[in-house]
Amino acid sequence: MKLPVTYKIEDKDGKARAGVITTPHGEIETPVFMPVGTQATVKTMSKEELLDIGSEIILGNTYHLYLRPNDELIARLGGLHKFMNWDKPILTDSGGFQVFSLGSLRKIKEEGVYFSSHIDGSKHFISPEKSIQIQNNLGSDIVMLFDECPPGLSTREYIIPSIERTTRWAKRCVEAHQKKDSQGLFAIVQGGIYEDLRQKSLDELSQMDENFSGYAIGGLAVGEPREDMYRILDYIVEKCPEEKPRYLMGVGEPVDMLNAVESGIDMMDCVQPTRLARHGTVFTKDGRLVIKSERYKEDTKPLDEECDCYVCKNYSRAYIRHLIKVQEVLGLRLTSYHNLYFLIKLMKDARKAIKEKRFKEFKEKFIQRYEGKE
Ligand code: GUN
């Protein structure tokens, strides 16, 4: 069976990879940062702006789009690409992660997850079959398995049965997938901070490998210490099939991203850059900058003096600080634009460094400066 999403490695430097993912809506150069468009919009960003910052793929979310405006409505209107006027690749998360984040509002059973909507308390049920059906209706290029993402510090006793259920759910997802020719399915490896349990999860999922266009590493950056995340990445990523893309879910901190790339990760996403932006925190080569601070009141410099994004070429810290302080919409737009540009550019620079076989040096130089140790 020919899979609808394929990957080709172009260059390697250590374990870091530069490659190209091919999807029904075009190619993606990796490593890549994927902006999150939970509700069929990357918050504050128009399609034109997304293209302008070099986004090659964006995310959508099953849970949110099922609740509002509903996946069947989106299907009637021609699918998610048409609905949001985005004709490049889209990846949809399965809803598992969002449903599990509801805490007391949800109940996990073998058949699926019962939950109350965070919007109006109405009762719903998402099963592996339902999640895939919603993602089939949305028509994303990459569909994620419906998995359980246990909290970062879960015990082995909790995680073992959870992995086994996630594997049983994976089989049901594979069977339910109606659009195997046009939507690639990605597996999600769980297992918390335990190497052997990560291996168990990968071994079980690998039995269905012919159905998967890629492998995600889930259940990281969910409360565990950073060192544990790095240790697990270093252990498990290289064991995933070499010829398929590897996706680290929910990571969008520059230093973590470079360390993940060093372990062999190709794709990442996170709400962090846009969320931080809306609270007035921006990324710069010298670390995070809190633009609301008094010290930027009369600062005519751009957010990041070395950044060549549209915001940094046109607006001062003093102006953006003012906009954020008085809660003007333009302030949120400018900081969101800059933060997304920063992460997308970081991955493009990493790709170039991998191709030129100087990734380690590039990473170390970036981190030293970002963490203020230069
Ligand atoms: N987003 C961040 N982590 C996860 C995860 O473990 N599973 C899913 N489905 N989405 C995520």
Side-chain angles (χ1 to χ4, degrees):
M1 183 178 60
K2 170 135 176 36
L3 294 168
V5 174
T6 55
Y7 174 69
K8 188 166 172 294
I9 299 180
E10 293 178 331
D11 279 293
K12 278 188 82 175
D13 186 11
K15 290 198 266 180
R17 298 137 48 106
V20 177
I21 301 170
T22 303
T23 80
H25 285 87
E27 295 190 339
I28 305 154
E29 293 189 336
T30 65
V32 66
F33 177 76
M34 309 182 285
V36 180
T38 306
Q39 316 226 51
T41 167
V42 176
K43 287 194 197 306
T44 80
M45 298 284 289
S46 68
K47 168 207 171 164
E48 291 70 24
E49 289 169 329
L50 286 169
L51 292 177
D52 203 38
I53 60 171
S55 310
E56 294 182 35
I57 172 171
I58 58 173
L59 259 70
N61 206 289
T62 298
Y63 167 78
H64 293 86
L65 297 174
Y66 156 73
L67 288 177
R68 289 187 307 198
N70 190 259
D71 52 291
E72 289 174 9
L73 180 142
I74 292 177
R76 286 197 296 280
L77 298 179
L80 187 55
H81 290 89
K82 188 149 182 238
F83 184 55
M84 60 188 293
N85 189 30
W86 174 258
D87 57 12
K88 284 178 177 276
I90 298 179
L91 180 152
T92 44
D93 198 359
S94 55
F97 184 71
Q98 284 70 30
V99 171
F100 294 115
S101 313
L102 291 173
S104 62
L105 294 174
R106 54 109 175 109
K107 220 182 195 103
I108 308 169
K109 292 279 174 76
E110 182 62 28
E111 62 269 27
V113 182
Y114 295 86
F115 64 97
S116 302
S117 157
H118 71 286
I119 303 160
D120 59 6
S122 55
K123 296 209 180 316
H124 300 268
F125 170 64
I126 295 190
S127 60
E129 291 80 8
K130 179 78 186 167
S131 168
I132 298 296
Q133 187 190 32
I134 296 169
Q135 297 184 77
N136 285 162
N137 279 337
L138 296 174
S140 48
D141 298 270
I142 299 176
V143 166
M144 300 305 297
L145 286 182
F146 189 70
D147 60 327
E148 183 190 354
C149 172
L153 294 174
S154 303
T155 60
R156 296 178 64 84
E157 290 64 40
Y158 183 91
I159 289 182
I160 292 170
S162 165
I163 290 176
E164 290 169 356
R165 184 173 46 223
T166 287
T167 301
R168 290 192 296 276
W169 284 0
K171 287 192 188 118
R172 288 167 55 188
C173 287
V174 165
E175 278 184 18
H177 190 20
Q178 294 292 319
K179 297 195 182 163
K180 292 192 167 71
D181 298 338
S182 58
Q183 296 182 281
L185 185 62
F186 272 35
I188 306 179
V189 178
Q190 294 289 348
I193 57 169
Y194 310 101
E195 276 100 337
D196 59 325
L197 300 187
R198 287 280 167 183
Q199 186 71 59
K200 171 181 166 70
S201 176
L202 178 58
D203 288 345
E204 292 178 9
L205 292 167
S206 302
Q207 309 254 317
M208 295 169 257
D209 179 63
E210 73 273 16
N211 298 285
F212 299 136
S213 294
Y215 284 74
I217 311 296
L220 288 178
V222 285
E224 78 287 358
R226 229 178 187 186
E227 294 65 41
D228 287 323
M229 172 163 92
Y230 294 166
R231 175 174 52 79
I232 290 299
L233 287 175
D234 197 44
Y235 175 80
I236 200 69
V237 178
E238 65 181 322
K239 299 195 165 57
C240 296
E242 169 93 1
E243 73 289 356
K244 295 188 177 175
R246 298 138 168 197
Y247 162 28
L248 173 58
M249 308 189 83
V251 168
E253 174 57 40
V255 173
D256 292 344
M257 288 169 67
L258 292 178
N259 281 313
V261 168
E262 189 172 38
S263 300
I265 288 288
D266 308 303
M267 311 159 74
M268 277 164 273
D269 78 286
C270 195
V271 294
Q272 176 97 321
T274 39
R275 186 172 288 165
L276 283 177
R278 292 194 302 280
H279 291 99
T281 296
V282 293
F283 297 125
T284 79
K285 288 238 164 60
D286 296 299
R288 288 186 186 187
L289 185 150
V290 181
I291 195 67
K292 273 199 244 181
S293 160
E294 181 78 15
R295 59 200 281 210
Y296 304 118
K297 200 171 173 182
E298 300 191 29
D299 191 336
T300 55
K301 292 197 287 292
L303 293 175
D304 181 344
E305 286 179 273
E306 285 178 26
C307 178
D308 50 11
C309 84
Y310 164 80
V311 175
C312 289
K313 280 196 278 195
N314 287 285
Y315 299 98
S316 68
R317 292 175 177 176
Y319 179 58
I320 295 172
R321 172 180 184 272
H322 160 70
L323 294 178
I324 296 279
K325 292 277 293 180
V326 297
Q327 299 188 328
E328 278 293 339
V329 172
L330 182 61
L332 313 181
R333 287 181 50 203
L334 297 180
T335 51
S336 298
Y337 185 106
H338 168 80
N339 275 0
L340 287 174
Y341 180 90
F342 189 90
L343 296 189
I344 287 173
K345 179 73 167 34
L346 180 65
M347 290 297 98
K348 288 189 195 293
D349 290 347
R351 175 179 164 84
K352 190 158 181 283
I354 294 167
K355 286 189 164 260
E356 293 167 2
K357 306 274 188 252
R358 52 176 180 82
F359 177 73
K360 200 167 170 58
E361 190 191 322
F362 164 78
K363 184 198 103 170
E364 278 167 8
K365 213 165 155 205
F366 178 92
I367 293 178
Q368 263 185 7
R369 181 162 168 197
Y370 190 80
E371 295 186 337
K373 292 177 192 145
E374 198 175 69

